Amino acid sequence: MEAINVIEGEIAVLDRSDVDTDQIIPKQFLKRVERTGYGEFLFYDWVRDGEIVLEPHPILVSGRNFGSGSSREHAVWALHQFGFKAVIAPSFSDIFYSNSTKNGFLPVELSEDVCQALVEAGEAKIDLENQMVSWAGGEASFEIEAEIKRRLIGGLDDIALTLMDEEEIEAFESGPGGTYGPVTTSL
Amino acid sequence: MPKTMFEKIWEAHEVRENLLYIDLHLVHEVTSPQAFEGLRMTGRKLRRPDKTVATADHNVPTDGTPTAAMIKDALSRKQVETLEKNAADFGVPVYSLGSETQGIVHVIGPELGLTQPGMTIVCGDSHTSTHGAFGALAFGIGTSEVEHVMATQTLLQNLPRTMRINYSGTLAEGVTSKDLILATIGKLGTSGMTGYVVEYAGEAIEALTMEQRMTVCNMTIEGGGKAGMIAPDETTFEYMRGKAGVPENFDDAVERWRQLPTDEGATFDTEVEIDASRISPMVTWGTTPGMVIQVTDTVPDPEQMDSPADREAAIRALQYMGLDAGTPMEEIRPERVFIGSCTNSRISDLREAAGAIKGRKVADSVRAMVVPGSALVKAQAEDEGLDRIFSEAGFEWRGAGCSMCLGMNPDTLFDGERCASTSNRNFEGRQGKGGRTHLVSPTMATAAAIEGHFVDIRNWS
């Protein structure tokens, strides 16, 4: 995963709430078996119908409940590959937020008022280490879970980190916890 | 100290703090290829094929196409064939096109007895919350997490908050568990459950069958919830008894599962009270599942809405849906009807829908289709003669799959078409670009197919 810390530059605005992942990347583009090639299809229907125009600025600001609906990680891949490095919104769906942090793509939760100020400012700087967003005329702090922040800044590989504790997993499996559930291969 | 059901399951699965062991990993063709590829590129193995199962559902045509190689759409064919190859390479059992146990991933888990109380279950699909109906902790994940589970059989997780929704009273005649969950999302909003694991409880929930409970838990994600859960009880155990994947010592397992329900005095971060007896048949009018009203209501007026964000969203939604504020919902005329999806495609859903037909025909203005959730559901329905009831009434009887819920296969709406759908999402373009989706229960969908417009099922003879 690409390491991130400071993200700075112009802001693209998508002034809508409940932007769901079906809009971010429509289903016909989920048939690919690769992780790349999604950027050009970002918001495909809205862009093609001329409803919105988006520039690939570093930062996207949008409305509440961003990334709702389907768990498709393709939505994060599309936003990232289009050129965005961070998205700021008043709230996110849980799965979208998690998917973002697995891809070095930064979701930042800030109030409606701050989002409005950012839209008016047109440019901003996100400092992940210090958990601050600043713009001409203001700044605001944001929350992020410490371990998620550490992994984003370090560009760390979750799987490699977990496998360093493989003995703990083996110990769990040989205890009572390893006995739950069916054996799928025996059906 | 008294514990919630969620806390009991969480604690029993902590390998260490924030690392949760996963008992069952369900895999389908759309969100897994990049994860399998990741394993290959890093030379990692899939840790526990015996806790993993795969099926093809999102992409499959429902026209009886017998094998993956026969899928006409080249990209869909490649994705299903890739799933078959990946499953073979990594030793994962796969129920692909042509298998007698193929079907929607959230239908086959329970019907094969793979879904059991007290388990942790994940899948690269947001409707994984369905399995919580058995008293399991089940939730959707993204492809990076799919790869993490494949490689480690664990998942990094922060402790979520807990919510309990208590439903007092009982549902009125004609009102279903679909209406119950739609009404709940209408009340709490599309992000009202965000960050929460939700336990559905109370008299109205206890009275539901397992398949009705699955409908409730299935749509938890539409309220933003991480997972939905219902305490296992006699209804759960009787439903599971005899299914292929259940423990050999079933009665011993039942005794363990009886320890799972939330203890008296356990606390939740949030509690919500809903009077189930006041819930009516529901229909969505907009482009999120939270935009939902009673079938007896009229299309809402954006000008009457308090918040500017709600008003703007409603104006956009009405424009997209081609609806005018003030129109009675019962005057809205769908041209398509879809009975299916992981929300409402199980045998009891099909029995209810078929039972409502009573010799009548689908209206001339409507094209209606019924898509069983799995090959087993299809076979069962055909044994019971439901396929003939549907066909004689003018419904198309299809093969198993996700079908028109998300239109990744040939079943889609055309631009501007209006559909009464038993699925879970009425997002813009979800069922096909320009398609207009109204979410309803199976009986409400059947009535709309026959009358050509929405009707209040309670007064429909």
Side-chain angles (χ1 to χ4, degrees):
Chain A
M1 185 170 77
E2 184 189 346
I4 53 170
N5 195 352
V6 174
I7 295 167
E8 189 168 14
E10 284 188 74
I11 291 172
V13 180
L14 182 60
D15 185 18
R16 293 181 179 186
S17 55
D18 292 300
V19 172
D20 59 74
T21 55
D22 272 79
Q23 306 313 321
I24 297 173
I25 185 81
K27 66 237 167 227
Q28 63 266 38
F29 306 111
L30 308 189
K31 294 182 181 182
R32 300 168 55 80
V33 295
E34 298 85 16
R35 265 179 187 265
T36 53
Y38 297 94
E40 63 186 296
F41 305 119
L42 181 71
F43 293 113
Y44 184 77
D45 289 338
W46 285 352
V47 168
R48 194 175 53 161
D49 292 349
E51 283 196 42
I52 61 169
V53 177
L54 282 178
E55 294 295 328
H57 296 319
I59 301 170
L60 174 68
V61 173
S62 191
R64 67 177 184 213
N65 199 27
F66 188 85
S68 55
S70 159
S71 63
R72 59 188 72 166
E73 196 161 315
H74 313 65
V76 173
W77 299 335
L79 288 161
H80 206 192
Q81 289 162 17
F82 180 75
F84 297 128
K85 298 183 183 326
V87 55
I88 302 176
S91 63
F92 295 92
S93 88
D94 292 335
I95 304 176
F96 178 86
Y97 189 96
S98 171
N99 285 343
S100 298
T101 63
K102 309 293 183 192
N103 285 277
F105 182 72
L106 183 63
V108 177
E109 198 170 291
L110 288 168
S111 70
E112 303 255 3
D113 290 344
V114 171
C115 287
Q116 190 51 42
L118 286 167
V119 168
E120 285 163 18
E123 285 184 5
K125 176 179 171 184
I126 306 171
D127 179 346
L128 176 57
E129 177 70 47
N130 295 303
Q131 297 179 219
M132 290 295 291
V133 175
S134 54
W135 64 94
E139 60 176 20
S141 65
F142 64 91
E143 297 293 320
I144 185 165
E145 208 268 322
E147 182 60 17
I148 291 174
K149 181 168 107 175
R150 183 178 81 89
R151 290 175 187 232
L152 282 168
I153 290 175
L156 305 179
D157 175 356
D158 279 350
I159 296 175
L161 286 180
T162 301
L163 286 175
M164 287 171 72
D165 298 330
E166 198 166 6
E167 283 174 12
E168 283 182 312
I169 298 171
E170 283 165 8
F172 182 91
E173 286 177 330
S174 58
T179 62
Y180 285 105
V183 180
T184 59
T185 43
S186 72
L187 281 193
Chain B
M1 189 175 148
K3 289 176 183 169
T4 65
M5 177 165 59
F6 161 75
E7 287 165 340
K8 293 178 194 182
I9 299 173
W10 179 276
E11 288 171 11
H13 288 84
E14 272 186 309
V15 173
R16 57 170 162 75
E17 196 181 1
N18 296 342
L19 189 67
L20 212 58
Y21 195 77
I22 301 302
D23 297 324
L24 180 64
H25 187 191
L26 302 163
V27 173
H28 66 81
E29 76 276 19
V30 178
T31 56
S32 66
Q34 297 86 358
F36 280 115
E37 192 56 24
L39 293 184
R40 277 198 192 90
M41 285 166 58
T42 49
R44 291 171 179 144
K45 62 181 173 44
L46 193 148
R47 184 178 179 83
R48 295 299 297 265
D50 59 330
K51 292 182 183 292
T52 312
V53 66
T55 190
D57 55 6
H58 285 62
N59 265 295
V60 302
T62 60
D63 59 0
T65 301
T67 64
M70 308 274 284
I71 297 175
K72 291 190 192 79
D73 180 284
L75 287 171
S76 291
R77 182 171 66 243
K78 181 176 180 191
Q79 208 168 49
V80 177
E81 288 182 331
T82 301
L83 177 77
E84 292 178 356
K85 179 175 190 312
N86 284 333
D89 287 355
F90 289 90
V92 172
V94 59
Y95 306 124
S96 191
L97 209 52
S99 163
E100 62 187 22
T101 45
Q102 175 265 339
I104 304 176
V105 65
H106 309 309
V107 175
I108 69 165
E111 82 184 356
L112 295 175
L114 299 173
T115 301
Q116 298 169 15
M119 288 171 61
T120 49
I121 302 174
V122 296
C123 174
D125 190 282
S126 62
H127 292 110
T128 309
S129 56
T130 309
H131 306 266
F134 290 78
L137 176 61
F139 52 92
I141 57 178
T143 298
S144 293
E145 292 180 312
V146 166
E147 186 179 338
H148 192 281
V149 176
M150 286 175 172
T152 71
Q153 203 59 31
T154 65
L155 203 53
L156 297 158
Q157 287 289 298
N158 292 319
L159 189 67
R161 292 173 291 178
T162 56
M163 176 188 291
R164 179 163 60 187
I165 308 179
N166 298 293
Y167 296 87
S168 58
T170 51
L171 292 172
E173 185 74 25
V175 180
T176 69
S177 64
K178 181 67 164 283
D179 303 303
L180 179 144
I181 189 63
L182 282 171
T184 302
I185 296 164
K187 179 184 165 78
L188 300 179
T190 48
S191 55
M193 305 179 191
T194 300
Y196 288 97
V197 167
V198 180
E199 182 174 339
Y200 302 97
E203 191 184 349
I205 297 294
E206 288 163 20
L208 298 177
T209 66
M210 277 320 295
E211 297 190 348
Q212 292 166 340
R213 293 179 189 183
M214 283 187 247
T215 301
V216 174
C217 289
N218 172 273
M219 290 193 69
T220 304
I221 184 68
E222 312 313 332
K226 180 175 185 69
M229 308 176 90
I230 293 173
D233 59 10
E234 297 310 316
T235 303
T236 320
F237 309 142
E238 283 316 304
Y239 184 86
M240 293 178 65
R241 193 180 290 277
K243 294 212 180 331
V246 303
E248 271 180 38
N249 300 320
F250 189 75
D251 291 332
D252 294 347
V254 166
E255 288 315 307
R256 289 198 306 279
W257 296 336
R258 284 190 206 283
Q259 310 304 314
L260 285 168
T262 295
D263 298 329
E264 188 77 30
T267 55
F268 291 79
D269 295 310
T270 302
E271 297 233 28
V272 176
E273 305 291 329
I274 292 179
D275 182 353
S277 65
R278 297 173 65 92
I279 295 174
S280 301
M282 305 296 285
V283 185
T284 60
W285 55 269
T287 52
T288 74
M291 293 174 168
V292 64
I293 50 177
Q294 302 175 23
V295 64
T296 47
D297 286 338
T298 57
V299 175
D301 182 355
E303 297 308 319
Q304 306 290 317
M305 294 181 180
D306 293 334
S307 97
D310 286 345
R311 197 155 54 232
E312 281 170 36
I315 290 168
R316 272 187 47 75
L318 290 187
Q319 188 179 5
Y320 180 85
M321 293 296 291
L323 294 174
D324 296 321
T327 305
M329 293 305 287
E330 292 186 70
E331 289 180 8
I332 294 174
R333 304 182 68 84
E335 295 117 19
R336 300 285 296 273
V337 169
F338 170 59
I339 297 176
S341 87
C342 59
T343 314
N344 281 126
S345 65
R346 298 181 181 82
I347 189 68
S348 59
D349 296 313
L350 305 191
R351 285 180 191 142
E352 280 174 30
I357 293 173
K358 298 196 172 74
R360 289 170 285 198
K361 304 283 186 206
V362 171
D364 290 342
S365 56
V366 174
R367 178 183 166 198
M369 54 200 275
V370 183
V371 184
S374 70
L376 285 177
V377 170
K378 183 170 196 278
Q380 172 78 24
E382 289 173 357
D383 275 353
E384 296 179 18
L386 303 184
D387 58 322
R388 286 196 305 280
I389 295 174
F390 285 122
S391 299
E392 283 165 14
F395 288 84
E396 295 171 34
W397 177 248
R398 314 281 299 189
C402 295
S403 183
M404 210 162 68
C405 175
L406 87 168
M408 266 192 85
N409 50 74
D411 303 341
T412 58
L413 293 181
F414 295 112
D415 202 352
E417 272 189 326
R418 186 178 301 286
C419 181
S421 178
T422 67
S423 57
N424 42 55
R425 289 195 173 127
N426 50 339
F427 296 157
E428 285 183 33
R430 170 83 177 177
Q431 297 191 291
K433 182 173 156 43
R436 294 160 169 167
T437 304
H438 297 273
L439 302 176
V440 289
S441 72
T443 44
M444 286 285 287
T446 305
I450 290 167
E451 297 297 335
H453 58 86
F454 290 114
V455 295
D456 183 350
I457 193 80
R458 293 169 298 187
N459 305 328
W460 192 56
S461 51

